[in-house]
């Protein structure tokens, strides 16, 4: 059973944080689906991932080879590449069932955007209330540090 890892980005944008996390996920052998709400943002990230150091093979959903992609950027709820690691951007929905069936779920949110922070809090509450394990990571000191885990006071 997986867990939801919340990444509160304050010092680096998603185009820096995402490639780092995707590299670690692929290093763990996971297939990844990056779910976003904004098609333009996904298109931008598509270009950034091709430029990323270490080359992150990936594709955009809607093509004929979605099932073959080790990393698939998508704006739909389906997971056509059989991903065992799900990434939520821009408040994209992740269900408790998806968290439970995954190896890892990552929820990235902009800590400088009050609406994004509020939505992430709502996601945390919904997932932990449903029984999902969760961890909260922050980079406010300049490096990633675990700040909380579901079940902690």
């Amino acid at each position: 059973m997986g867990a939801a890892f919340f990444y509160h980005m304050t010092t680096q944008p998603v185009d820096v944080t995402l490639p780092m996390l995707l590299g670690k996920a692929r290093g763990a052998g996971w297939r990844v689906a990056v779910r976003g709400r904004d098609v333009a943002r996904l298109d931008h990230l598509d270009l950034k991932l091709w430029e990323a150091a270490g080359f992150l093979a990936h594709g955009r959903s809607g093509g004929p080879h979605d099932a073959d992609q080790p990393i698939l950027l998508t704006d739909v709820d389906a997971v056509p590449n059989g991903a065992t690691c799900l990434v939520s951007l821009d408040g994209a929905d992740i269900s408790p069932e998806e968290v439970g069936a995954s190896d890892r779920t990552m929820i990235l949110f902009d800590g400088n955007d009050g609406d994004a922070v509020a939505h992430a809090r709502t996601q945390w509450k919904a997932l932990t209330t449903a029984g999902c394990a969760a961890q909260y990571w922050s980079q406010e000191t300049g490096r990633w540090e675990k700040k909380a885990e579901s079940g902690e006071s």
Side-chain angles (χ1 to χ4, degrees):
M1 178 179 219
F5 283 53
F6 286 74
Y7 292 94
H8 187 160
M9 299 178 296
T10 54
T11 61
Q12 294 178 322
V14 71
D15 6 2
V16 174
T17 302
L18 184 63
M20 182 265 305
L21 292 172
L22 291 176
K24 290 180 182 289
R26 289 299 298 144
W30 299 330
R31 295 177 68 76
V32 183
V34 178
R35 185 180 294 163
R37 293 177 165 183
D38 183 343
V39 172
R41 163 98 96 174
L42 292 172
D43 289 342
H44 170 77
L45 291 170
D46 179 32
L47 293 173
K48 288 294 184 182
L49 291 177
W50 286 121
E51 298 168 357
F55 177 72
L56 290 166
H58 70 281
R60 281 286 277 122
S61 65
H65 304 289
D66 286 0
D68 299 325
Q69 300 299 332
I71 299 171
L72 186 67
L73 305 176
T74 184
D75 61 341
V76 298
D77 290 342
V79 185
N81 69 334
T84 58
C85 177
L86 302 175
V87 179
S88 166
L89 301 177
D90 303 322
D93 291 328
I94 301 285
S95 73
E97 294 77 21
E98 288 176 309
V99 173
S102 69
D103 288 320
R104 173 81 42 92
T105 299
M106 300 180 211
I107 298 171
L108 282 65
F109 62 99
D110 182 348
N112 301 308
D113 177 339
D115 291 338
V117 172
H119 186 73
R121 285 183 178 133
T122 300
Q123 287 179 300
W124 174 280
K125 182 155 181 56
L127 293 174
T128 57
T129 298
C132 297
Q135 293 184 10
Y136 168 77
W137 291 77
S138 173
Q139 64 178 175
E140 64 191 355
T141 65
R143 50 180 285 201
W144 287 105
E145 296 177 350
K146 184 167 109 173
K147 298 291 187 175
E149 195 163 340
S150 57
E152 291 183 1
S153 46

